[in-house]
Amino acid sequence: MTVAIQKMTLEEFLAYDDGTDKLYELENGELIDMASESEINRRVAMFLLAYFLQLGIPAYRLTMKTEVAVSGSRVSVRVPDLLVLSEELATEMDGATRSIVLMDMPPPLLVVEVVSPNQEKRDYRYKRSEYAARGIAEYWIVDPLAQKVTVLEWVEGLYEEQVFVDDHQIESSILEKLDLTVDRVFQAR
């Protein structure tokens, strides 16, 4: 006997409240409990936030743990570590009661995911295709375990990949004044 699992819709996910402060993603209709962040992941994300502020990106265009609706076999909702918003998207989100980028809104310019242990497949594979389908111009996979930063640039509907390690300068089509090495990102420990 096969038991069918009830899939959530986006509307059900947005209305979901289990009475806790837990953070969830929606993956193809299934509720995914987000584990607590490791200290290294938190530090790397905070370092990048501070660095992006130093680059002159206004604080209202930077956000952490904002939900992003993406497409899959069903609508999914991801919770990236850091986002850089376009001016248009920041304006659209101004005054929102929930920090979520819906499908009818412009995509973020840049999504940063700091890879958690045992989540490599999700960050390198599933989110890659979801963010590309969403038209997100650039997706960074920052991997503390592998000590590398993978920059994916959206070109004609697919991501072109560059991998940076050690003292190599990270290159970005979104952040023109970027002067950052992989070593420096991981010194945030």
Side-chain angles (χ1 to χ4, degrees), residues 71-86:
S71 60
S73 59
R74 296 177 61 99
V75 172
S76 296
V77 176
R78 297 299 187 182
V79 185
D81 293 291
L82 180 62
L83 296 175
V84 177
L85 310 177
S86 65

Side-chain angles (χ1 to χ4, degrees), residues 87-118:
E87 192 69 40
E88 180 185 7
L89 179 54
T91 300
E92 238 181 275
M93 291 186 69
D94 191 35
T97 57
R98 182 169 179 160
S99 188
I100 184 169
V101 179
L102 296 168
M103 292 297 292
D104 63 348
M105 300 168 95
L109 293 176
L110 171 64
V111 170
V112 176
E113 293 278 6
V114 183
V115 179
S116 297
N118 303 317

Side-chain angles (χ1 to χ4, degrees), residues 2-23:
T2 305
V3 177
I5 298 174
Q6 180 68 31
K7 302 278 186 168
M8 281 183 133
T9 65
L10 178 61
E11 293 74 25
E12 290 169 333
F13 174 76
L14 294 175
Y16 183 74
D17 182 0
D18 64 1
T20 70
D21 290 334
K22 284 186 175 182
L23 189 60

Side-chain angles (χ1 to χ4, degrees), residues 106-162:
L109 293 176
L110 171 64
V111 170
V112 176
E113 293 278 6
V114 183
V115 179
S116 297
N118 303 317
Q119 297 300 321
E120 296 88 350
K121 189 182 289 188
R122 184 175 286 158
D123 290 331
Y124 281 100
R125 189 176 199 169
Y126 305 138
K127 291 180 183 181
R128 176 185 183 133
S129 60
E130 292 168 346
Y131 292 155
R134 184 70 169 85
I136 295 170
E138 203 164 282
Y139 169 34
W140 289 19
I141 304 170
V142 181
D143 193 333
L145 297 174
Q147 293 284 292
K148 68 180 180 179
V149 175
T150 303
V151 175
L152 301 153
E153 181 183 355
W154 192 63
V155 178
E156 298 177 12
L158 297 171
Y159 279 131
E160 291 184 2
E161 175 180 304
Q162 288 188 49

